[in-house]
């Protein structure tokens, strides 16, 4: 099943998809050159929004947690991409240790870890799963909803190496976004840690990522002759905000108003009659926390106590002091009247699949990455790398190819971001 694009405003998007299909050889050549210049992240996922007149990334995750939601028919793609990624990091690697989030109760997240381990094992590695949970003091099997069992094992240090009992890994694969900081156990580890520690949310900022994305999008747009706004959401930042104490509120409201007017001007230029909106989100953090929609500056000023409380903290209970104000991109894709948005997964520089995030309890102008009984992932039916040039630009293989191109632009932006924030480049410690 592929979501229906429920909007009459498909003209600009069809033109964009058509141009991307026509420029496929140029695009693939451009990406090949870029990956000769820059190191690709080990893996990533990108949340996209399709407004019918615009397709753009709204979030890039460097510790993706939904491999269990991918179409199993694409597992060979995942395995081959993992082989490529491993060869670049540690050509003679034999053993990988996965360090996941500390979510023993979230069995669906652990199913993701099991899927990731499956991919790595089939790439020719011995794989075990460690844990940072102090209560787990011995190998602990956990039954998963899939019928599988995953075993979490306590980790310890042997000098400058991170090991399990009887297992000394060649490399450490983090599937933990380090929102709460770098655990002491991981500091000064000799083995390669991937993604690097500075990719964690304790240092990473969404504003840095989207600044790099804007740079990438502008170059790409010039390459194929399109308006970069069609693939790039505006953004602004607001620092020193305190939602609980209502400090910085007027600054935030003023920036929201300026952003809305900027979007409104673009809508007028393109004959778009929808109401502009912005998404306000914590500049660091994930899991759909610390996010709100605003269509007027008063939406910021009129937050009630409970709303301010929800905006004040994110994962690990971290206080929000910096926010990203991002142009809201509607999603006009829907399945059975439930809004949907594509999430594209990549290993190395290969698109290995994706799924649709579907939420019946949310609207076309709201964040869908949020808790809800109706959250249903819907795997992509076709790969994102095999467009059918003779078919319509909006045929599923071609739409998925467009999604894959935009996701790879975000992946390239993440590469630039990690280069810029690498402490070794700044003369710091690794």
């Amino acid at each position: 099943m592929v979501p229906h694009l429920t909007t009459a405003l498909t003209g600009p998007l069809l033109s964009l998809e058509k141009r991307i299909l026509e420029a496929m050889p140029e695009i693939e050549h451009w990406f090949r050159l870029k990956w000769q210049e820059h190191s690709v992240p080990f893996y990533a996922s990108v949340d996209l929004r399709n407004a019918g007149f615009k397709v753009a990334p709204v979030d890039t995750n460097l510790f993706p947690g939904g491999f269990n939601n991918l179409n199993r028919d694409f597992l060979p793609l995942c395995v081959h991409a993992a082989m490529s990624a491993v060869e670049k990091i540690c050509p003679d690697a034999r053993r990988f240790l996965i360090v996941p989030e500390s979510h023993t109760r979230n069995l669906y997240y652990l199913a993701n870890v099991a899927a990731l381990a499956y991919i790595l094992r089939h790439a020719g590695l011995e794989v075990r799963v460690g844990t940072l949970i102090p209560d787990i003091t011995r190998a602990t099997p956990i039954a998963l909803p899939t019928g599988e069992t995953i075993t979490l094992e306590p980790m310890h240090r042997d000098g400058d190496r991170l090991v399990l009992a009887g297992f000394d890994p060649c490399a450490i694969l983090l599937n933990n976004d380090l929102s709460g900081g770098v655990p002491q156990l991981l500091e000064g580890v000799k083995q390669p840690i991937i993604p690097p520690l500075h990719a964690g949310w304790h240092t990473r900022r969404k504003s840095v990522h989207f600044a790099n994305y804007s740079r990438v999008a502008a170059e790409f747009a010039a390459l194929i002759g399109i308006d970069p706004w069609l693939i790039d959401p505006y953004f602004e930042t607001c620092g020193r905000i305190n939602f609980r104490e209502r400090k910085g509120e007027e600054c935030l409201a003023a920036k929201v108003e300026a952003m809305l007017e900027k979007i409104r001007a673009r809508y007028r230029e393109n004959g778009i009659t929808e109401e502009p909106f912005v998404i306000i989100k914590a500049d660091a953090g994930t899991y759909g926390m610390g996010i709100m929609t605003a269509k007027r500056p008063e939406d910021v000023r009129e937050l009630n106590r409970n709303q301010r409380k929800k905006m004040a903290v994110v994962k690990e209970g971290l206080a929000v002091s910096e926010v990203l104000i991002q142009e809201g991109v509607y999603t006009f894709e829907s399945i059975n009247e439930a809004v949907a948005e594509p999430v594209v997964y990549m290993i190395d520089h290969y698109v290995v699949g994706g799924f649709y995030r579907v939420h019946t309890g949310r609207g076309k102008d709201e964040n869908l990455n949020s808790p809800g009984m109706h959250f249903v992932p819907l795997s992509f039916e076709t790969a994102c790398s095999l467009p059918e040039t003779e078919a319509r630009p909006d045929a599923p293989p071609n739409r998925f190819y467009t999604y894959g191109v935009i996701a790879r632009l975000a992946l390239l932006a993440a590469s630039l971001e990690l280069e810029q924030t690498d402490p070794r480049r700044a003369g710091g410690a690794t």
Side-chain angles (χ1 to χ4, degrees):
M1 183 182 295
V2 178
H4 178 57
L5 187 60
T6 53
T7 174
L9 295 170
T10 55
L13 182 62
L14 286 174
S15 297
L16 170 62
E17 293 177 331
K18 184 173 183 292
R19 182 63 196 121
I20 287 175
L21 287 173
E22 292 172 343
M24 183 175 63
E26 300 166 73
I27 291 170
E28 298 304 327
H29 177 256
W30 183 79
F31 273 123
R32 283 194 294 272
L33 292 179
K34 290 300 178 184
W35 294 128
Q36 291 175 25
E37 300 171 6
H38 305 286
S39 297
V40 61
F42 184 87
Y43 56 10
S45 66
V46 178
D47 296 358
L48 301 176
R49 302 278 285 204
N50 186 342
F53 52 86
K54 177 171 188 159
V55 180
V58 294
D59 197 22
T60 300
N61 188 354
L62 295 179
F63 303 90
F67 281 96
N68 55 312
N69 296 325
L70 300 183
N71 188 333
R72 292 188 65 83
D73 290 343
F74 300 160
L75 282 176
L77 290 176
C78 296
V79 170
H80 290 148
M83 287 178 175
S84 175
V86 169
E87 287 169 2
K88 291 176 181 176
I89 295 161
C90 188
D92 60 348
R94 293 186 177 185
R95 297 173 297 277
F96 259 43
L97 172 63
I98 300 177
V99 179
E101 299 278 359
S102 301
H103 294 327
T104 53
R105 296 180 184 176
N106 190 335
L107 298 182
Y108 291 99
Y109 167 73
L110 290 177
N112 150 75
V113 178
L116 188 54
Y118 177 94
I119 291 167
L120 293 174
R121 289 189 183 107
H122 283 76
L125 297 168
E126 184 181 351
V127 182
R128 285 164 69 175
V129 181
T131 181
L132 294 165
I133 301 171
D135 294 344
I136 294 182
T137 57
R138 64 180 188 277
T140 303
I142 298 174
L144 301 176
T146 57
E148 302 169 282
T149 297
I150 188 171
T151 300
L152 303 183
E153 302 183 62
M155 303 180 292
H156 64 275
R157 291 287 287 271
D158 182 2
D160 57 5
R161 298 188 71 81
L162 185 65
V163 300
L164 304 180
F167 185 76
D168 186 351
C170 305
I172 315 298
L173 179 62
L174 284 182
N175 199 243
N176 182 316
D177 64 24
L178 305 178
S179 291
V182 178
Q184 187 175 0
L185 197 64
L186 296 179
E187 292 181 350
V189 168
K190 182 178 181 180
Q191 298 113 309
I193 295 180
I194 48 180
L197 295 177
H198 66 274
W201 284 121
H202 62 297
T203 56
R204 190 177 179 224
R205 293 295 178 268
K206 295 172 186 174
S207 52
V208 174
H209 173 73
F210 281 102
N212 280 289
Y213 180 79
S214 291
R215 170 184 163 192
V216 169
E219 184 177 341
F220 177 81
L223 173 74
I224 68 171
I226 62 169
D227 180 352
W229 179 74
L230 295 174
I231 58 172
D232 186 14
Y234 292 135
F235 76 94
E236 180 60 88
T237 57
C238 182
R240 292 192 288 273
I241 187 83
N242 187 318
F243 284 100
R244 290 185 188 274
E245 299 178 9
R246 306 192 71 163
K247 292 181 179 177
E249 188 177 274
E250 283 305 314
C251 174
L252 178 56
K255 290 193 173 186
V256 166
E257 186 172 25
M259 175 74 71
L260 287 170
E261 183 51 44
K262 191 175 181 180
I263 301 167
R264 196 170 288 117
R266 276 293 195 164
Y267 279 18
R268 285 194 297 266
E269 288 176 19
N270 289 275
I272 298 164
T273 58
E274 300 293 333
E275 182 181 9
F277 70 100
V278 301
I279 296 292
I280 301 168
K281 61 179 83 172
D283 202 12
T286 183
Y287 276 73
M289 303 176 71
I291 300 179
M292 63 172 285
T293 298
K295 294 185 175 181
R296 56 198 184 101
E298 287 74 25
D299 290 340
V300 174
R301 299 187 181 102
E302 295 173 1
L303 289 176
N304 62 36
R305 184 177 178 180
N306 285 337
Q307 290 169 327
R308 291 200 306 272
K309 183 178 179 180
K310 289 180 180 179
M311 288 297 297
V313 295
V314 290
K315 188 183 170 192
E316 305 283 354
L318 299 179
V320 175
S321 60
E322 304 167 273
V323 295
L324 184 80
I325 306 148
Q326 188 176 59
E327 174 188 352
V329 181
Y330 282 97
T331 177
F332 284 112
E333 289 187 286
S334 66
I335 295 175
N336 298 329
E337 299 183 1
V339 292
E341 66 183 12
V343 185
V344 178
Y345 272 61
M346 291 160 288
I347 298 176
D348 198 66
H349 62 276
Y350 301 102
V351 177
V352 296
F355 56 87
Y356 276 95
R357 181 180 288 125
V358 185
H359 206 313
T360 60
R362 292 283 171 138
K364 62 187 180 182
D365 57 355
E366 294 182 287
N367 167 52
L368 302 190
N369 186 12
S370 61
M373 290 180 62
H374 304 293
F375 170 83
V376 180
L378 182 70
S379 299
F380 287 3
E381 292 182 342
T382 63
C384 299
S385 55
L386 295 172
E388 296 179 3
T389 55
E390 301 304 315
R392 284 173 50 87
D394 60 346
N398 296 335
R399 178 145 292 167
F400 288 150
Y401 177 71
T402 294
Y403 289 163
V405 168
I406 304 301
R408 283 184 286 163
L409 294 178
L411 184 71
L412 178 56
S415 175
L416 300 179
E417 172 194 355
L418 292 180
E419 289 174 5
Q420 292 173 3
T421 57
D422 188 339
R424 293 172 298 184
R425 290 170 60 101
T430 58

